Structures are given as structure tokens and as C-alpha cells.
Amino acid sequence: MAWHYAIGGQQNGPVSDDEFNRLVSTGTVQPDTLVWTEGWPDWRAYRTVTSGNSGAVVASSADAEMAVCAVSGKRLPKKDMLEFEGRWVGSEHKEEFFQRLREGVSLPRDVVYASFGRRFMAKFVDGVIVGLINLGLTLLITAAFAALFSGAAAGEKSASAILLQVVVQLSGIGFALCYALFFIRKNDATPGKKLLGLRLVRADGSKLSKGRIVGRHFAEYLSSITLLIGYLMAAFDKEQRRALHDRVCDTRVLDVRGQ
């Protein structure tokens, strides 16, 4: 039997009976975790599932009135949703759902989290882009300071050199932040992530707000100052591939190639 389970609004699976039992034993699947297997009309809380030789399942009437939105992945009351060819769609996502159907875009059924390797390559591409532009900004700022303080006294030149370093550092931080803010708000991905087929979302599948993008950007410094261990955490998180800054800001990086 193949099992699917939802954590943080994200669908995972399919997994085998043995793997599912392991998830239960390690506490990944909790009593309130939503689970589904082939033949069930709807997702159900794990606590309503009675395991045994008969494989009997008992579901509460309230649970039967809920469904998972095919667009957002959120679990919502059916009374607030639309059913179309076996899929349930939240009222606020109806237009997006039918637009995808018209465009021939397939709707994801299972969430695939980005591997550490693809995340590393995306980060490398973004690093090259931001680094080259910051190099150009540094040259321009340096030239401007050289022209501005060309006739200054020795003491003023020493002070200007310190000021130059401060301005260069702040401009680099500012540009990197604007780069992330602009592209993630527009595409749910920076150019590097988009090139590698990745998408950045909240744990429930929703877009990141401006505040969360800013917070995540600076949270990455935590992943850096811990000898990059914060980044390496994504390689060892087999469930959702989360880095330290993902855990801090409740974000996920999805592999959306082919979707």
C-alpha cells in the first residue's frame, strides 16, 4: 500500500507501508497529520485510521467534510470549495486553477523538495550575478571617492578610505537584498533558482511576503556564520530539505521542474 501524508500544508509521498510505519514511530506522522492512500475519497487525520489486519478505517464526519486544495495544498472545508473532475479547489484559487487548465499546465499532486545539490548550484549562480554587479558598483564608488577626495589632506584621505569601505559594504548588502526582494516577489525565485527549476514558498505553499523575504535574506547570515552548517542542514533533512534559514522563517524550496 502506498501512503501520502501532509505536513505544513505540503503533500508528501507516496511511501511504502514500512516507510510509513517508520514515520509514525519517529513522530514525523502525528495523530493530527493528514494521510491518504489509494481508494480513499478524501484525506484523513491519522488518528482516525485504525491499523490492523483488517485495515479498517474510521473517519469522523467533520474530517469527511474537509479536502485539500489542488492549488494551495491547504486543507479547507468542502463547503467553501469547488469540485472539478475529482479535485477540490479553494474559492480564492478558482481563477488560477482554470487558468492553469487553459494553459495546459499540470497541477502538482506531490510536493518535491529541492535537493541540496540543486540548491547549491542555484546559490552559486545567484552569487556570480550579485558578485559581478557588486564589483561594478565598487569600482564606480571607488572612482567617485577618488575624484571627490583627490585634493584632500592626508588625514581626510585616511578618513575617506574608512568611509569608502563602509559605503561599499552597505551598497553590497543593499543590492543583494533588493535582488532577492524583487525577484522572489515577482517569480517566487531568484534567477539562479528559476534557472534550476526551483520555487521558494511558505510551508503552506503560499507566496512569501516582503517582510518574510527580508527576514529570510538576513537569516541566511546565520547559516553562514555557523561555518556553513546552516546550509548543510538541507543535505541531511531527508523530509523537507530545510536549511537553517528555512526553519527560522518557515520557508521551503520546491523542485517544480515539469510542473
Side-chain angles (χ1 to χ4, degrees):
M1 181 180 292
W3 291 90
H4 298 256
Y5 60 99
I7 296 178
Q10 301 297 319
Q11 300 177 27
N12 303 272
V15 297
S16 65
D17 285 334
D18 290 341
E19 177 63 14
F20 185 76
N21 289 333
R22 185 189 69 79
L23 293 172
V24 173
S25 64
T26 57
T28 301
V29 174
Q30 298 286 330
D32 290 331
T33 301
L34 300 175
V35 298
W36 179 85
T37 189
E38 187 175 355
W40 289 7
D42 194 11
W43 289 68
R44 300 166 180 177
Y46 177 66
R47 67 173 181 275
T48 67
V49 179
T50 303
S51 301
N53 294 331
S54 62
V57 175
V58 179
S60 67
S61 58
D63 189 64
E65 295 303 318
M66 304 288 285
V68 176
C69 176
V71 176
S72 68
K74 296 180 180 179
R75 189 166 176 80
L76 304 168
K78 288 183 178 178
K79 64 182 179 64
D80 298 328
M81 305 176 75
L82 169 71
E83 183 181 14
F84 181 80
E85 296 183 350
R87 292 179 177 178
W88 290 88
V89 185
S91 57
E92 69 273 25
H93 294 292
K94 287 190 292 186
E95 292 186 7
E96 182 180 354
F97 176 79
F98 287 110
Q99 179 64 30
R100 290 188 184 185
L101 291 180
R102 286 193 292 269
E103 295 175 353
V105 179
S106 61
L107 292 165
R109 291 184 178 275
D110 295 314
V111 173
V112 179
Y113 295 100
S115 67
F116 174 77
R118 298 192 74 80
R119 292 188 62 168
F120 174 81
M121 290 303 300
K123 190 68 178 177
F124 177 79
V125 171
D126 286 326
V128 170
I129 295 173
V130 173
L132 288 175
I133 295 176
N134 273 334
L135 176 61
L137 288 174
T138 298
L139 294 176
L140 287 174
I141 294 171
T142 302
F145 265 70
L148 185 62
F149 293 97
S150 59
E156 292 180 339
K157 287 186 176 181
S158 177
S160 69
I162 296 174
L163 180 60
L164 173 62
Q165 292 299 318
V166 173
V167 172
V168 167
Q169 290 295 324
L170 290 178
S171 68
I173 294 172
F175 175 75
L177 176 59
C178 291
Y179 176 89
L181 190 58
F182 175 79
F183 286 110
I184 295 174
R185 283 297 293 174
K186 182 179 180 181
N187 302 319
D188 295 327
T190 56
K193 285 184 172 62
K194 195 171 183 65
L195 179 65
L196 273 294
L198 308 182
R199 181 185 176 204
L200 182 61
V201 297
R202 289 284 306 279
D204 61 3
S206 60
K207 291 176 67 69
L208 272 64
S209 65
K210 292 180 181 179
R212 193 169 297 272
I213 294 171
V214 173
R216 187 179 188 275
H217 176 78
F218 288 109
E220 285 201 45
Y221 287 102
L222 294 176
S223 295
S224 298
I225 64 177
T226 54
L227 301 178
L228 303 181
I229 292 175
Y231 286 107
L232 291 173
M233 287 172 64
F236 297 97
D237 182 0
K238 301 302 182 183
E239 294 296 328
Q240 298 184 356
R241 304 293 185 183
R242 293 167 295 175
L244 176 59
H245 46 280
D246 292 315
R247 293 173 180 269
V248 170
C249 297
D250 190 34
T251 56
R252 306 291 185 273
V253 181
L254 308 182
D255 189 334
V256 294
R257 290 174 294 168
Q259 295 182 5

